[in-house]
Amino acid sequence: MKLDTLCVHGARRPDITGALTTPIYQTSTFAHPGVGRSTGYDYSRSQNPTREQIERRLAALEGGSGALAFTSGMAAATALVELLKPGDRIIASEDLYGGTTRLFDRVSQKNGIATDYVDTSDLQALRAVMRPETRMIFIETPSNPMMRVTDIRAAAEIAHSGGALLAVDNTFLTPYYCRPIELGADIVLHSGTKYLGGHNDTLAGFLVAAKPEFEEALRFIQKTTGAGLSPFDSFLIERGVKTLALRMDRASASALTIARALERHPRVKSVHYVGLETHPGYELSKRQTDGFGAMISFEVDSPDTACAVLEGVKLVMYAESLGGVESLITYPLLQTHADVPEEKRLALGITDRLLRLSVGVENCGDILADLENALESAPSR
Ligand SMILES: *Cc1c(COP(=O)(O)O)cnc(C)c1O
């Protein structure tokens, strides 16, 4: 089955009633048919039929042996780090989602797990920071917000040659465009809040395991630490995934048009979009992914222009998050990357002129006209 079909039907299990959609099993516990016997479900922290269904769908889409659904992307990331022990080290892409950096630096660090940050799109640099204690390479590709592209296959080889796991945050591209496990990754992470849910209405996170042994270890952590996704939220994410292919294709096509138009705009100094031929990760992306996604970051000519755009847009919403049907624009400086120390932020290119746009599924011309109006509302210099 092709991915767009899997989005609609993936791993659907027949129901005795013939229901097409997965029922919401709103129950915390399950009666035992006899002593020492189980229906397969005992208590919803361990597993719930509605959650199991969205997990099966995600595993099928990513080509993993199993998937686990969490209450948020950060809950998934927290469970992932629980695979490590004090003294172990992580290597991470240097421009990660700000929340992941905060987790590594402020929580994992105090638990004895240190992180080495490097530009993972530079394979030589990546190789150079490998140490005997490195147990996990964690990459985000394209990265947030600078859209650097990392060679997943090469990163997997580097990780495995040092006895480490490769984990890939696949939130931006989703399995519809990129399947890291096919390229050698061991674990895929998602903020299901974004494209998978797709409607800016539900928080969720996923870990997809390439092998049963990883799934088993993660199941133990999930049932012990207790951040499994609720039945209702599992239902909403499953509903979202059914239209994933449609939404991704629409938003990505618009993103390319918008990126090209922004590139020509006099108030825009640079545009970071993987689908532009001039983007340093363009050729690699064409090899390892089936699409470029709908995330764009761009630098305008001044902080005043940046603020004028944020306050001047009417259709595009000035809000955190991404991947939903509504187009959203954010200011990484004050939102997603507010916790990143200034020196590091500037070295990465996250300036007071950088904006990040998540292109939604509205009419492309309407989105563009809204952005252009907001850019033109900026005071001239
Ligand atoms: C949003 C996001 C996360 C965190 O997910 P939540 O669902 O907000 O907890 C992690 N990685 C990326 C790339 C994200 O965009």
Side-chain angles (χ1 to χ4, degrees):
M1 255 191 280
K2 294 278 192 275
L3 262 289
D4 43 2
T5 306
L6 268 184
C7 285
V8 181
H9 292 285
R12 183 148 54 89
R13 261 207 299 227
D15 176 294
I16 48 162
T17 67
L20 280 195
T21 58
T22 306
I24 301 167
Y25 286 88
Q26 190 65 36
T27 183
S28 60
T29 192
F30 300 83
H32 302 298
V35 176
R37 287 169 58 207
S38 165
T39 60
Y41 306 97
D42 303 307
Y43 188 59
S44 283
R45 172 151 45 73
S46 301
Q47 192 51 294
N48 173 285
T50 317
R51 186 162 87 225
E52 188 174 41
Q53 195 51 38
I54 182 62
E55 290 180 345
R56 285 162 49 88
R57 191 170 296 232
L58 251 288
L61 284 167
E62 288 282 3
S65 75
L68 297 92
F70 293 87
T71 51
S72 70
M74 290 320 301
T78 302
L80 175 67
V81 181
E82 287 293 344
L83 289 174
L84 308 184
K85 59 181 192 317
D88 289 350
R89 298 185 80 90
I90 301 170
I91 294 174
S93 304
E94 61 183 3
D95 59 332
L96 281 183
Y97 174 72
T100 310
T101 308
R102 189 168 63 219
L103 170 70
F104 291 165
D105 291 352
R106 311 267 293 274
V107 178
S108 306
Q109 171 81 41
K110 91 172 156 44
N111 294 336
I113 299 158
T115 304
D116 301 300
Y117 293 98
V118 67
D119 175 1
T120 52
S121 68
D122 178 347
L123 296 174
Q124 226 163 340
L126 176 55
R127 257 182 224 109
V129 290
M130 281 292 284
R131 296 212 212 165
E133 303 79 32
T134 304
R135 284 288 158 269
M136 186 186 297
I137 297 180
F138 184 99
I139 63 174
E140 196 175 287
T141 182
S143 65
N144 198 344
M146 300 312 289
M147 313 294 162
R148 287 178 183 160
V149 179
T150 296
D151 186 328
I152 298 173
R153 199 184 288 281
E157 277 161 19
I158 294 169
H160 296 158
S161 69
L165 298 175
L166 177 69
V168 178
D169 184 334
N170 197 26
T171 299
F172 275 22
L173 290 178
T174 82
Y176 181 55
Y177 282 156
C178 180
R179 284 164 304 285
I181 289 172
E182 288 174 4
L183 299 168
D186 300 291
I187 296 172
V188 171
L189 179 139
H190 278 282
S191 169
T193 314
K194 315 295 167 57
Y195 290 101
L196 299 178
H199 292 76
N200 290 320
D201 58 7
T202 315
L203 284 165
F206 291 90
L207 293 175
V208 187
K211 293 186 193 153
E213 67 213 67
F214 304 144
E215 184 194 348
E216 214 174 294
L218 291 167
R219 287 249 171 248
F220 174 80
I221 292 164
Q222 188 192 48
K223 93 170 174 195
T224 305
T225 57
L229 192 62
S230 78
F232 184 58
D233 289 350
S234 299
F235 168 87
L236 285 174
I237 301 296
E238 184 175 73
R239 185 166 72 163
V241 168
K242 289 181 184 180
T243 56
L244 177 67
L246 292 172
R247 290 184 285 103
M248 290 301 285
D249 283 342
R250 164 72 171 224
S252 303
S254 297
L256 181 58
T257 305
I258 292 166
R260 286 198 174 126
L262 287 175
E263 250 189 336
R264 290 189 303 266
H265 198 284
R267 316 270 331 224
V268 175
K269 293 299 152 200
S270 59
V271 177
H272 309 282
Y273 178 62
V274 183
L276 293 172
E277 288 84 346
T278 49
H279 188 284
Y282 176 78
E283 289 300 329
L284 173 57
S285 291
K286 275 195 11 184
R287 285 202 302 278
Q288 71 179 10
T289 67
D290 297 329
F292 300 113
M295 295 301 298
I296 301 172
S297 61
F298 61 103
E299 200 166 40
V300 292
D301 58 2
S302 75
D304 286 345
T305 305
C307 292
V309 170
L310 293 166
E311 291 182 352
V313 284
K314 294 192 172 69
L315 170 68
V316 177
M317 296 284 147
Y318 170 26
E320 257 175 270
S321 201
L322 61 108
V325 290
E326 294 94 355
S327 295
L328 302 181
I329 193 161
T330 60
Y331 202 21
L333 169 76
L334 295 185
Q335 270 113 29
T336 49
H337 292 71
D339 280 354
V340 180
E342 183 178 4
E343 197 182 324
K344 180 173 172 188
R345 193 169 44 68
L346 291 176
L348 294 174
I350 305 169
T351 66
D352 54 8
R353 283 160 289 138
L354 187 79
L355 296 170
R356 192 191 75 184
L357 176 69
S358 166
V359 177
V361 302
E362 303 94 336
N363 177 280
C364 178
D366 285 343
I367 303 170
L368 193 53
D370 191 45
L371 289 169
E372 284 170 350
N373 273 335
L375 279 163
E376 268 124 52
S377 75
S380 50
R381 307 195 324 130

